[in-house]
């Protein structure tokens, strides 16, 4: 799950970014509207967290341009302006949700989870494939009922494969999901993370298969 955070308050942006990474999300952070617009034209995101008061290009214009391109990525607006007219303007411009600063961590996390579930077309809290389960609220995996410890990048790899279970996931898509703007990594690093996750799934009915030329796929051991 790769998220774009566009927030001009650098202290707040650093705090939110750290919070999201602790919750096993991949985060790209920008502080100007033109940079947000450029990122949205070059990269696919699961969610955009957008401040309205961005310099160079305000948040409403970033949102309008995004929707004008036909991009339906969920957008959660953050703003210090709690006036009704401001909320209506943001929602009418194509935002999916609205959160006024200052906000509680729990509410931000809950709104993020709600938007991601809605984007997947499901309201289920737990996603299951064979013995593997992902609790989307706690952002934790379990295998055969026991907690499955994974690092943040391993989590992103496994989550991406789980949400496409039974279908090939190209290596390039995993690269985009795992590595943010400031991260160093590529296809060879993905092979390392896939190998680590594959070992953690050993002994269960779920495994990762390599499909030459297509990528990787999560498959149950008994599937044909």
């Amino acid at each position: 799950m790769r998220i774009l955070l566009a927030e001009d308050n650098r202290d707040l942006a650093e705090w939110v970014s750290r919070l999201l990474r602790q919750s096993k999300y991949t985060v790209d952070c920008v502080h100007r509207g033109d940079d947000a617009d450029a990122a949205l034209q070059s990269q696919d995101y699961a969610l955009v967290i957008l401040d309205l008061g961005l310099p160079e290009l305000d948040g409403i214009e970033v949102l309008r341009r995004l929707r004008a391109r036909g991009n339906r990525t969920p957008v959660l607006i953050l703003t210090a302006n709690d006036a009704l007219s401001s909320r209506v303007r943001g929602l009418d411009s194509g935002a999916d949700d609205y959160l006024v600063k200052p906000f509680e961590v729990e509410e931000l996390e809950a709104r993020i989870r709600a938007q991601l579930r809605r984007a997947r077309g499901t309201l289920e809290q737990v996603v299951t494939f064979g013995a593997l389960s992902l609790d989307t609220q706690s952002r934790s995996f379990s295998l055969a009922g026991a907690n499955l410890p994974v690092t943040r990048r391993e989590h992103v790899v496994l989550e991406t494969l789980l949400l496409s279970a039974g279908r090939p996931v190209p290596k390039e898509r995993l690269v985009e999901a795992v590595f943010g703007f400031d991260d160093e990594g590529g296809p060879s690093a993905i092979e390392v993370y896939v190998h680590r996750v594959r070992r953690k799934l050993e002994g269960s009915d779920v495994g990762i298969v390599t499909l030459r030329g297509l990528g990787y796929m999560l498959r149950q051991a008994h599937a044909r």
Side-chain angles (χ1 to χ4, degrees), residues 191-205:
E191 294 174 7
V192 173
Y193 293 120
V194 168
H195 174 72
R196 291 177 181 174
V197 173
R198 183 180 276 141
R199 292 193 62 179
K200 291 182 178 183
L201 296 175
E202 287 179 352
S204 75
D205 66 346

Side-chain angles (χ1 to χ4, degrees), residues 16 58 91 95 103 149 151 160 168 189 191 198 205:
V16 173
D58 68 31
L91 294 170
F103 50 82
T151 66
T160 303
E191 294 174 7
R198 183 180 276 141
D205 66 346

Side-chain angles (χ1 to χ4, degrees), residues 12 43 45 54 60 64 78 99-100 102 162 165 167 172 184 203-204 208:
L12 177 60
Q43 177 65 51
Y45 292 96
L54 296 171
I60 291 294
R64 286 175 175 165
L78 296 182
L99 190 57
V100 177
L162 175 61
R167 302 189 304 274
E172 293 76 14
E184 293 184 4
S204 75
I208 301 173

Side-chain angles (χ1 to χ4, degrees), residues 5-19 29 31 49 51 78-80 100-103 108:
L5 172 63
E7 169 60 58
D8 69 330
N9 184 318
R10 291 178 182 266
D11 289 338
L12 177 60
E14 181 180 352
W15 176 73
V16 173
S17 295
R18 185 168 60 250
L19 171 73
C29 185
H31 306 293
I49 302 176
D51 177 35
L78 296 182
T79 182
V100 177
K101 306 172 188 174
F103 50 82
L108 173 62

Side-chain angles (χ1 to χ4, degrees), residues 25-137:
Y25 297 108
T26 300
V27 183
D28 289 336
C29 185
V30 296
H31 306 293
R32 303 184 348 173
D34 53 346
D35 290 335
D37 186 52
L40 289 167
Q41 293 184 65
S42 63
Q43 177 65 51
D44 291 329
Y45 292 96
L47 176 74
V48 181
I49 302 176
L50 181 65
D51 177 35
L52 292 187
L54 296 171
E56 304 302 327
L57 202 65
D58 68 31
I60 291 294
E61 183 59 26
V62 172
L63 179 56
R64 286 175 175 165
R65 293 186 182 192
L66 178 72
R67 297 306 186 221
R69 293 192 292 269
N71 190 319
R72 305 312 304 169
T73 300
V75 175
L76 170 61
I77 285 179
L78 296 182
T79 182
N81 188 347
D82 63 351
L84 175 61
S85 59
S86 178
R87 296 200 299 272
V88 169
R89 183 168 173 243
L91 294 170
D92 282 347
S93 297
D96 297 276
D97 201 357
Y98 205 103
L99 190 57
V100 177
K101 306 172 188 174
F103 50 82
E104 296 295 332
V105 171
E106 293 80 3
E107 183 176 8
L108 173 62
E109 292 180 320
R111 289 176 182 268
I112 289 172
R113 290 192 299 267
Q115 289 303 320
L116 293 175
R117 286 197 302 268
R118 191 169 293 119
R120 291 197 302 267
T122 177
L123 297 179
E124 295 178 358
Q125 178 178 320
V126 179
V127 181
T128 301
F129 185 73
L132 179 68
S133 294
L134 169 64
D135 187 318
T136 60
Q137 181 164 327

Side-chain angles (χ1 to χ4, degrees), residues 168-219:
V169 177
K171 186 181 294 185
E172 293 76 14
R173 181 178 163 196
L174 290 175
V175 171
E176 292 179 354
V178 170
F179 299 110
F181 286 160
D182 300 325
D183 296 329
E184 293 184 4
S188 59
I190 289 298
E191 294 174 7
V192 173
Y193 293 120
V194 168
H195 174 72
R196 291 177 181 174
V197 173
R198 183 180 276 141
R199 292 193 62 179
K200 291 182 178 183
L201 296 175
E202 287 179 352
S204 75
D205 66 346
V206 178
I208 301 173
V209 295
T210 302
L211 303 174
R212 188 175 297 276
L214 296 175
Y216 302 100
M217 185 172 72
L218 198 65
R219 187 168 66 182

